[in-house]
Amino acid sequence: MQVDKVYCFILGSLSILFILTLGKLLLIDRNPFPEKVLGLRNNLIYIAPLLYIPLFFKRERHIIKTLNLLIAIGLLLVVFSYFQFVFATSLPKSLMVLRSEATFGFWGTSIVRPTALVGNTIIFSSFTIILFSFYFAKYLYNTTWKCFFVLLLIAVATLLTFTRAALAGLIIVVFVGLYLRYGRLSVSFILRMFGIALLLVILALGAYIFYQDSLMIKRFTGQDINSLQSNNEHFTQIEASLSYLAQRPFAGIGVGSQGPSGGSSKMITDGYWLQLFLENGILLGSLYLFFYVSCFTFALREFYRTRNLLQKQLCMSFICFSVYFGAASFLNSAFAGRTNFIIYWILFGLLVGEHLIEKKKIYGFASR
């Protein structure tokens, strides 16, 4: 039986990360034991689908069924978020947020930002970016009105979260997807992209001129008091994090101390990349980062290599929301949110599984 080098690289990388992380937990870290256990879970156990999906999903129909199930659940959550937004003042708190979360809103208004019960508003808005990425990839290869309507439904749900990073995420996904689908080093393509960018700028300027006093515009331009407070908090946390890393660059604070499991030693609530290096130190944190970049590089190479439409769509969507998470993780930790992190690796597992199925087809071993 031929062993696939991609799967071997993934298995080997995760094994090394597990051993090094466990060694750091036992020999170096001094943070509380419950944080250590939860930190190991958050960093590595949630990635487990990446290992077993390629092993157990032997046919393409398994990939398609799983993908359709995830999409169906995602669209139900999007519809539920509309319900939350419209009836926020009438619904009990149990239908607005998870038990450990607080509702997000704006002072002086009755607006409550929807969560669809997947985490806080920022986690949900990033979840919609994942969903939007896949449907946009699907739309670029099959331009139907049904697909466009679903895209619009997801985009509006994203806007209703009033999350600035997610608005930028929609733009990032559109431009990255268009480049992957049509990108050529030609004058005509450059002019088209410039035209789209110019149109977006004109629309943004028009919205600002005519609706500059609206909460939506103030929120996305950072003029409302909530945005200003958030910005100041981000800058304070970034400064404190960099200062601590300069003092303890190799050990960090301890695995599990900064993420969702963090307790009294938590220095930062936003910015996943800072969380990663604060917990693991520069050396181990760099290994995690190298693994993430390697997965992204594989998806990019696979996109240009494969002729399989499903695989192209999987690769494109993964690349699109990976670019978003890569940029947004300087400011928020939505990538580390349980729902997003697990789905992220499930989708990459499906991508790797489809790669293995394609490879077997070449040798005549697999069937649909």
Side-chain angles (χ1 to χ4, degrees), residues 155-177:
V156 172
T158 306
L159 292 176
L160 292 179
T161 64
F162 289 86
T163 304
R164 290 171 291 169
L167 173 63
L170 292 176
I171 298 172
I172 288 172
V173 168
V174 168
F175 273 93
V176 173

Side-chain angles (χ1 to χ4, degrees), residues 199-210:
L199 177 62
L200 288 175
V201 170
I202 292 172
L203 290 173
L205 285 175
Y208 179 76
I209 291 171
F210 292 105

Side-chain angles (χ1 to χ4, degrees), residues 75 78 125-139 147-148 150-156 158 166 169-175 317 320-321:
L75 291 178
V78 165
S125 64
S126 294
F127 170 79
T128 63
I129 295 295
I130 296 176
L131 201 58
F132 183 87
S133 297
F134 181 79
Y135 258 93
F136 189 64
K138 189 175 181 179
Y139 177 75
C147 207
F148 179 79
V150 174
L151 274 175
L152 187 62
L153 189 74
I154 300 169
V156 172
T158 306
L170 292 176
I171 298 172
I172 288 172
V173 168
V174 168
F175 273 93
S317 57
C320 285
F321 59 70

Side-chain angles (χ1 to χ4, degrees), residues 115 132 138 159 208 218 220 228 256 266 299-300 309 324 326:
T115 65
F132 183 87
K138 189 175 181 179
L159 292 176
Y208 179 76
K218 286 184 177 180
F220 291 128
L228 293 172
K266 182 181 287 189
L300 188 61
L309 180 59
Y324 163 68

